[in-house]
Amino acid sequence: MSTPDRMLSILDLFRDDTTAAFQEDVMAHLDCSRATAYRYLKSLTESGLLAPTSGGAYVLGSRIIELDRHLRQHDPLMRAAREVMRATGDELHANLMLCNYYGDKVMCVDRYWTDDSIESSYARGRPYTMFHGATAKPILANLPPYQLRNLMLWHAAEIREAGLGEDWDEFRANLKRLRAAGVYVSHGEVDPGLIGIGSAIFSPEQKVVGSLVFIAAEARTTPSGWRSCRRASRSRRRRCHITCRPRKATARRRSASCRRGRAASRQRPSRSSPYAAPLACCPRGGAFALGRPGGRNRPHAAPLACCPPRGRFCLGAARRKKSPPRRAFGLLPPRGRFCLGAAQRQKPAGPAGRVPT
């Protein structure tokens, strides 16, 4: 873990049951010295992410409130879905929730609540697991294969408890069915007595960026009512997808170097490269495990012998060695110096003015 990553991981100490963090907590969390913990806390305090209080405690700083205001005003997903949520909520008298994800967590980033009698534990900014509810499963079903392999490697027990599969093949088959359905309906998976109807939202590059979810009380919702919400969820997510597209006038053209870089990334590694495993079993992000390389339908398990340090791997031929510098044979260096590329002391010139061989 790099130094910036270690410093930013101090923010993970602030949870629902934590009001403040102390220097000793940082030392135990990072397993570092007191001087290092003090230096990290000082940097976060100067940036406004933390603020010191009495008793040597640190709390979240005001810079986070400033960033939250900027997020509400300029986030592309929230700006694209705000009008859609307002119009749909007024038309169907339904509660809507906009969710986003990072890592293995899903959280609500915006809500439009028309029925205050319905209470949901999905508060804005509160992270939840990726494997439960209509807010998370539409996102999970549309994640890239390398992220799904990493989730299976690190959260196999949670996947089994959620009923998504006992192994990789079953997990992949269940997600394929969820992805083909387009809309997922949950009955009390997160909050008992509530129905969630959610669908995924995609970027112009067909990458999943979030989910749009209808929340309703199960006792007061008729089958025709939740079917209409299901149709509305599918149509509204398309409107959010279209609104998120960048304009042609502001879209940047890809340079020739970028195109060459993408073409090079699609090449298969040669046997001379440090990493020669098939691309189908190479997860992105540098996540490797012990064992032998698996097939296309298995999580990556490359041996350490073919995994270069820090998760790096080369595509194509090995790096070329630098050629030795050229030696100036026609020049006579002064006594006691060296020619370019030479590593031996030169002898004085002979009577003919040439360097003796």
Side-chain angles (χ1 to χ4, degrees):
M1 185 183 295
S2 62
T3 300
D5 294 337
R6 288 170 57 86
M7 182 177 64
L8 291 176
S9 67
I10 297 177
L11 300 177
D12 296 337
L13 296 174
F14 296 93
R15 303 180 182 275
D16 291 342
D17 55 348
T18 305
T19 58
F22 295 85
Q23 191 172 3
E24 291 76 11
D25 300 334
V26 177
M27 295 170 57
H29 177 67
L30 298 178
D31 192 16
C32 62
S33 63
R34 184 175 296 272
T36 302
Y38 174 77
R39 187 170 65 251
Y40 289 166
L41 291 172
K42 181 181 178 182
S43 300
L44 293 176
T45 302
E46 292 177 352
S47 63
L49 297 178
L50 294 181
T53 59
S54 60
Y58 291 84
V59 297
L60 295 178
S62 303
R63 182 69 181 275
I64 296 181
I65 304 176
E66 178 185 355
L67 295 176
D68 180 69
R69 175 183 175 273
H70 187 275
L71 181 69
R72 289 173 180 264
Q73 292 182 348
H74 303 289
D75 181 67
L77 179 62
M78 297 176 65
R79 292 179 61 183
R82 186 173 294 123
E83 295 297 330
V84 177
M85 294 173 62
R86 184 180 293 110
T88 307
D90 294 339
E91 177 185 353
L92 301 177
H93 301 285
N95 299 332
L96 285 93
M97 188 181 301
L98 180 67
C99 298
N100 201 344
Y101 77 98
Y102 71 96
D104 57 348
K105 297 180 177 62
V106 178
M107 69 170 53
C108 174
V109 296
D110 199 4
R111 295 175 23 153
Y112 188 76
W113 226 247
T114 59
D115 190 357
D116 296 333
S117 62
I118 299 177
E119 296 182 0
S120 175
S121 61
Y122 247 103
R124 182 180 183 271
R126 184 177 180 182
Y128 282 85
T129 179
M130 182 74 80
F131 311 109
H132 293 280
T135 57
K137 288 186 178 180
I139 299 176
L140 178 66
N142 292 276
L143 289 178
Y146 74 92
Q147 293 187 9
L148 295 177
R149 293 190 188 98
N150 291 336
L151 290 175
M152 189 65 192
L153 286 172
W154 296 102
H155 304 279
E158 298 181 26
I159 292 174
R160 285 192 296 267
E161 292 176 2
L164 293 174
E166 296 292 333
D167 52 8
W168 168 248
D169 294 333
E170 188 176 352
F171 178 57
R172 189 168 59 94
N174 290 332
L175 294 184
K176 184 178 181 180
R177 285 193 293 268
L178 293 177
R179 187 166 56 250
V183 177
Y184 179 76
V185 181
S186 64
H187 297 269
E189 292 188 17
V190 178
D191 295 318
L194 295 183
I195 295 178
I197 305 172
S199 59
I201 302 176
F202 297 89
S203 67
E205 293 80 14
Q206 297 300 317
K207 178 183 178 181
V208 60
V209 294
S211 62
L212 183 64
V213 187
F214 288 81
I215 306 295
E218 189 172 4
R220 293 180 295 173
T221 304
T222 61
S224 60
W226 69 263
R227 278 196 297 265
S228 63
C229 291
R230 184 171 180 173
R231 290 192 299 268
S233 175
R234 185 175 301 176
S235 61
R236 266 55 175 185
R237 72 98 181 261
R238 293 196 186 107
R239 290 174 57 182
C240 293
H241 168 78
I242 294 173
T243 312
C244 287
R245 292 183 181 273
R247 298 179 180 177
K248 295 182 179 180
T250 59
R252 296 181 178 179
R253 297 180 179 178
R254 290 181 295 177
S255 60
S257 60
C258 179
R259 291 193 295 269
R260 289 194 298 268
R262 292 194 176 185
S265 64
R266 289 193 294 267
Q267 297 177 358
R268 300 185 67 86
S270 62
R271 297 183 179 274
S272 60
S273 61
Y275 191 85
L279 290 180
C281 63
C282 298
R284 301 177 186 175
F288 299 98
L290 295 175
R292 298 183 62 82
R296 292 178 176 269
N297 300 330
R298 301 289 179 181
H300 175 67
L304 290 181
C306 66
C307 293
R310 298 186 181 181
R312 299 177 181 176
F313 55 91
C314 299
L315 299 177
R319 297 181 178 178
R320 298 179 179 177
K321 298 182 180 180
K322 295 183 179 180
S323 58
R326 292 178 296 179
R327 177 179 174 182
F329 292 98
L331 301 178
L332 294 177
R335 185 169 297 181
R337 297 187 180 181
F338 299 91
C339 295
L340 296 177
Q344 298 179 356
R345 184 173 178 177
Q346 301 292 335
K347 296 181 179 180
R354 297 182 179 178
V355 179
T357 58

